[in-house]
Each structure stands twice: as C-alpha cells, then as structure tokens.
Amino acid sequence: MEAVAFSFASCPIPLVFSSTKINNSQTNRRFFPTRRPIHNPHVSNIIQGYSVSPLWCAMFNISGRTKCLKAVKGCGINIHKIISWQEKFKHNISVIFVRLVTGMMLVISVSLIVCKTPSGALTEENRLFLEAWRTVDRAYYDKTFNGQSWFRYRENALRNEPMNTREETYMAIRKMLSTLDDPFTRFLEPEKFKSLRSGTQGALTGVGLSIGYPTMLNESATGLVVISSSPGGPANKAGVVPGDVILAIDDTSTEDMDIYDAADRLQGAEGSSVKLAIRSGSEIRNLVLKREKVTLNPVKSRLCEITSSGMDGFRIGYIKLTSFNQNASGAVKDAIEMLRNNNVKAFVLDLRDNSGGLFPEGIEIAKIWLEKGVIVYICDSRGVRDIYEADGSNTVAASEPLVVLVNRGTASASEILAGALKDNKRALLYGEPTFGKGKIQSVFELSDGSGLAVTVARYETPAHTDINKVGIIPDHALPTSFPVDEDGFCACFKDPASLCNLNGAELFAR
C-alpha cells in the first residue's frame, strides 16, 4: 500500500482554476468570481449579479484604471470582504480536496487487499500456489492462456480450491495447468524435479526409453509412442525400437496417461523390474525389464573408409549424438578434433533416435557447424520475439561436407539443429520425417523443491517453417536396411554389394 500511496501522492489530480492577481498591497493573493447578487441599479446589466475582479474590467472593455475603479466602487464592493471570502474558499477547497484524496486512497487500499487476499490472509499453501501462478504468468508463451482470463482464474482458485495440505495445493496447481491444454506444461513433485535435473546432467536409472504422444505419422495409435531407445539400455536389448507403442506400464493403461507420469513409472530403483505391454506393428509383446543406471554419454564417434570405385581411401568421420545434456557440445568438439587428426574429409552427424534435451546445447552445436546464419526463430503468440544466429566465433567445422541422419525419433533440440543445418544449406538430410516437437520448455524450481516445466516458446526453422506435429522432411530417404549403430554404418560403405550401401560421391555432393 505504501507504493500505491506514494505513487498517488506524487501525481496529484490536476485542478485548473482561472484567477488573476490584484495590483495592490495584497500582492500575489488570488480570488475567484462567485455567484453573489448585487443590488445596485447603477451597475451595468453586463455585470449585474456578480462580484467584479480587475480582470473583468479588461473583459468588458472598461478602459482605464479610473473607470475600472469607478466600476468597482459603483458596485459597492468591499475588497477586504472579497479577500476574506477568498481565504474561506481556498480553505474549503483544500479540505474537500484532502478528503477526496483520502477517500480514493482508502478505496484503492481496500481493492488491493481484496484482490490479493480474496478469502482472507494468505496461508503458506496459498503462497506456493501463487508462486506457481506467477511463474506461468511470466513465462508461458501464449499470453491468451488458452483463451481465458489468467487473473480471474487466480482469484477464483484462491476462493474456491481447497489448499489446506500440500497435496491439495499440488492438485490445485495441476488443475490450473490443465486449463492451458498443453501436455508439455506440467507440474513436477520434488522427486520428479530432482530426477529430471539429474537426467540433463548425464545419468538416469530406468529402462532407457524416450517417449512421446502420437503425431501425424502415427496419430491412429492409442497409448504412448517410443521416440528413442538408448543403445545398450534394457529396452534396447529387448528389441524395443522407435515407433513402438507402449500400451500399458505395470498393467496400467497408457491410453490417457500423461507422458511424465509414464516416465516416472518407467524410472525407479536400480535392479527393480517394470512390466510393459508393447505393440510393434501388429504384434503385441509383454516384457519385464530390469531397471539399470543408464549413463548418458552423449557422443560416440568412428572413423570409416569408403572403398567404392573412385573414392578409395576417402575417410569419413561418423559422430553419433544421442542426447543434448550439459556435456554434449564439448563432446562433439572433442570428437571433431579427434577425427580431424585422422585426416577425415567429411562428416556424418547421426541424430536418429535423439529425443532432444537442453535447448542451449542445441544452439551451441549448431554454431560448431555453421560459420554464419540464423539458427532458429523463437516465437510466441504475437510472432517472432528472438533470433539465435551463428556469427563464426564458435565455428569448428564449417568447411567439410556434412550429412545429417534423422528419423522419427529425432525430436526437439535435435530438430532445431537439423533444421538449421538444412535451411542454411550446410548439410544434406537423409532418413525419414522427424518427430515434430516445435515447442520449447523451461524448467522452474519452486520454493518447496517442486518444479514446473513451462512451454516458453514455439520455434521456427531459418526458413520460417513451423514443424510442430509435422517434423522436418529430409532431402533423401535411407535404405530400409540401413543400420542404426556406428559399426553397421561403416560396414555399409565397405561392401558395395550390401543392401545398405550408399554412393559416397552422391552422399557428400554439396
């Protein structure tokens, strides 16, 4: 209230009065004409019924000082009475103004108190709810908040939603987020928040799956879709591949299950088991997988030689990027340096089954390959709000031919990187359309250790393509038998008769 009072006091209401100065001993005093009958038959009808100020002499064209004084004298007006009346008038106006200001401030104070505490004093649970509300209010990319009054929702929730326990408050926060109709903006209990943070730092205990909702490519699917399966992880060893559909987790159907609830169910103590019902094509399999600690080493690299006619001895640097954790950009730089020391002439960047991760790491890796150009446009409901560009300061490998491999397991930050390299004509893309996650989330920690993942923007590629639910379309398809591991990749270039063989000259044509 102090700030409001100060602001109000520093900007008083402008009251405009018309006044004049009296040129006599009462210098700088002001007086105003007021309605007061004057019963003097000698006074002109023009001024009959009003007290007269010297200014009026000029208004009524009474020329000369003498005439003006005569007019005043003729009116029978006592100057001292006028001055006395003026002082009373000023006093009354001052009192009225002070009362008016005080009344307005009181109304504002009551209004603010009602707005901030619609149901009385705020409890600790109310404050946690408001912390979550403010986080979304500041960060959410759609300022229409799915076509609702976000402020009105806050007031109604504080009045009507039970928030007597921490679990009730969590339920109120989840209910609030559900009104946005955005599956990627969600609440994270303290343990889930901690687990998510550990995943971006390089280690996770689970079965090694990245999952998502069905897209246009598999929109007929009911359940959750496997985006990628970590090489060497429990699910990968059991033959789970991108595109498979998870129908149930521990006998609980995934048809209406949130992907983050599913991720939480898939994770657990090392050595514990989880039961999955998986549909691969028309086949349904029931699997029991043992959870392991999956170390997320984001980069694998390999030196390959092409033995086909005309390119004997041509060396390729193969880099497999599996995730965008906080080690990713540094690991890519190290791999490029190592491969260059072995005289590679071209690079292959494999983003297949990479479901994304940290947005800043995707930007940094794009800068490694680009000398200059737009990387991505960040947009909200009003249009482009930010542009990320490469200026050459972090460039490491902008000259060698580059091929990027993608599939429907390529999502999020991987799509940002692939789109930047394609639209800037830095690389050719081979494979199949990507997953189509064109929104960016940021994670915010709340005061009790819980957190919010909030959609803060959507993005467009440098060619202003919105890939959400559509994906990035590659330049060329890969043979259906093309391997997903680095050893199999190199073998395809050594044997021209192999079904997966690619023409090296065409592959690296720029």
Side-chain angles (χ1 to χ4, degrees):
M1 191 57 236
E2 293 178 1
V4 175
F6 178 80
S7 176
F8 188 87
S10 64
C11 300
I13 298 173
L15 299 176
V16 180
F17 296 98
S18 177
S19 63
T20 186
K21 294 182 181 179
I22 301 175
N23 189 15
N24 56 21
S25 59
Q26 300 295 331
T27 305
N28 294 329
R29 289 182 179 270
R30 300 172 184 267
F31 68 97
F32 305 86
T34 185
R35 185 79 176 177
R36 187 169 65 186
I38 299 175
H39 303 289
N40 192 326
H42 303 289
V43 179
S44 165
N45 288 334
I46 298 177
I47 57 174
Q48 178 70 36
Y50 291 89
S51 298
V52 182
S53 77
L55 176 63
W56 286 31
C57 295
M59 290 171 60
F60 300 134
N61 197 23
I62 302 176
S63 60
R65 176 183 178 87
T66 301
K67 291 183 179 180
C68 182
L69 291 175
K70 286 181 179 179
V72 172
K73 184 176 181 180
C75 293
I77 298 173
N78 189 317
I79 295 298
H80 294 289
K81 288 184 178 180
I82 292 175
I83 293 171
S84 176
W85 169 86
Q86 172 199 358
E87 296 294 341
K88 291 179 180 179
F89 183 80
K90 288 171 63 178
H91 174 73
N92 290 338
I93 287 294
S94 299
V95 171
I96 292 172
F97 180 73
V98 170
R99 289 177 178 175
L100 177 64
V101 170
T102 303
M104 292 178 66
M105 291 173 62
L106 182 60
V107 170
I108 293 173
S109 301
V110 172
S111 299
L112 287 175
I113 292 171
V114 170
C115 288
K116 289 183 178 180
T117 58
S119 58
L122 292 175
T123 66
E124 182 180 352
E125 300 305 320
N126 293 151
R127 286 192 289 270
L128 180 62
F129 175 84
L130 285 175
E131 184 183 357
W133 180 91
R134 283 192 296 268
T135 300
V136 177
D137 181 55
R138 289 193 302 263
Y140 194 60
Y141 82 111
D142 177 12
K143 294 309 178 184
T144 71
F145 299 96
N146 196 31
Q148 65 180 320
S149 170
W150 197 237
F151 289 93
R152 185 174 299 165
Y153 186 91
R154 177 191 69 180
E155 301 308 304
N156 291 338
L158 288 174
R159 288 189 182 98
N160 303 322
E161 294 296 330
M163 300 182 202
N164 300 312
T165 65
R166 186 53 47 92
E167 187 53 42
E168 285 183 344
T169 304
Y170 286 171
M171 287 297 296
I173 294 173
R174 291 190 197 97
K175 184 176 179 180
M176 174 181 70
L177 299 181
S178 70
T179 67
L180 299 173
D181 194 24
D182 177 0
F184 300 109
T185 295
R186 78 276 187 192
F187 175 72
L188 302 164
E189 290 86 353
E191 285 302 314
K192 291 184 180 179
F193 179 79
K194 182 179 178 182
S195 176
L196 177 66
R197 187 160 51 184
S198 69
T200 62
Q201 292 174 347
L204 202 61
T205 301
V207 295
L209 286 177
S210 294
I211 57 177
Y213 298 106
T215 65
M216 292 182 67
L217 296 174
N218 44 34
E219 58 186 2
S220 61
T222 58
L224 299 174
V225 178
V226 174
I227 299 175
S228 64
S229 178
S230 298
N236 180 259
K237 293 176 184 175
V240 180
V241 298
D244 286 355
V245 177
I246 302 175
L247 301 175
I249 303 174
D250 284 333
D251 297 324
T252 301
S253 172
T254 61
E255 184 172 357
D256 298 315
M257 188 180 292
D258 180 272
I259 58 172
Y260 302 100
D261 181 23
D264 186 58
R265 292 170 184 266
L266 291 172
Q267 297 170 26
E270 187 174 5
S272 61
S273 297
V274 59
K275 185 165 64 174
L276 302 180
I278 301 284
R279 186 175 69 224
S280 300
S282 58
E283 179 188 2
I284 296 179
R285 296 186 295 158
N286 292 299
L287 304 174
V288 177
L289 304 178
K290 185 174 290 187
R291 297 182 179 97
E292 298 177 3
K293 187 172 184 179
V294 181
T295 301
L296 304 177
N297 182 9
V299 170
K300 295 181 179 180
S301 61
R302 183 63 58 91
L303 176 66
C304 303
E305 286 193 13
I306 298 179
T307 58
S308 60
S309 175
M311 297 191 70
D312 286 348
F314 188 87
R315 293 190 167 190
I316 301 170
Y318 173 87
I319 298 174
K320 174 77 172 177
L321 180 60
T322 58
S323 66
F324 290 82
N325 62 27
Q326 63 185 18
N327 308 316
S329 59
V332 170
K333 289 179 182 179
D334 291 343
I336 291 173
E337 187 66 27
M338 183 271 293
L339 292 168
R340 272 184 169 166
N341 290 337
N342 286 280
N343 300 315
V344 298
K345 303 299 183 183
F347 288 100
V348 171
L349 178 62
D350 193 347
L351 298 178
R352 291 175 297 170
D353 301 331
N354 183 330
S355 59
L358 299 176
F359 171 80
E361 288 297 301
I363 299 299
E364 290 304 310
I365 294 173
K367 291 178 179 179
I368 290 173
W369 301 100
L370 290 172
E371 189 169 0
K372 61 180 181 178
V374 172
I375 297 172
V376 67
Y377 294 104
I378 305 301
C379 310
D380 58 20
S381 56
R382 293 181 291 268
V384 175
R385 80 177 192 209
D386 204 357
I387 304 174
Y388 286 84
E389 298 180 279
D391 59 8
S393 59
N394 295 318
T395 303
V396 176
S399 57
E400 294 92 344
L402 176 65
V403 165
V404 177
L405 307 182
V406 296
N407 66 0
R408 55 183 166 180
T410 303
S412 194
S414 291
E415 292 175 292
I416 290 176
L417 176 56
L421 297 177
K422 178 185 179 184
D423 287 356
N424 282 286
K425 302 188 185 305
R426 174 64 185 93
L428 288 174
L429 268 59
Y430 279 76
E432 57 189 5
T434 61
F435 182 77
K437 183 177 179 290
K439 294 180 180 178
I440 300 169
Q441 286 74 41
S442 289
V443 178
F444 302 88
E445 183 173 11
L446 300 180
S447 56
D448 73 331
S450 61
L452 296 176
V454 180
T455 300
V456 296
R458 64 178 179 85
Y459 69 82
E460 295 177 356
T461 70
H464 285 290
T465 301
D466 183 352
I467 61 96
N468 195 50
K469 297 184 179 179
V470 177
I472 295 175
I473 309 302
D475 299 297
H476 305 284
L478 283 173
T480 54
S481 59
F482 201 83
V484 296
D485 63 290
E486 60 272 24
D487 292 329
F489 173 83
C490 289
C492 288
F493 288 96
K494 292 180 180 178
D495 183 6
S498 171
L499 294 176
C500 67
N501 183 258
L502 291 174
N503 186 309
E506 293 180 0
L507 186 67
F508 295 105
R510 300 189 64 176

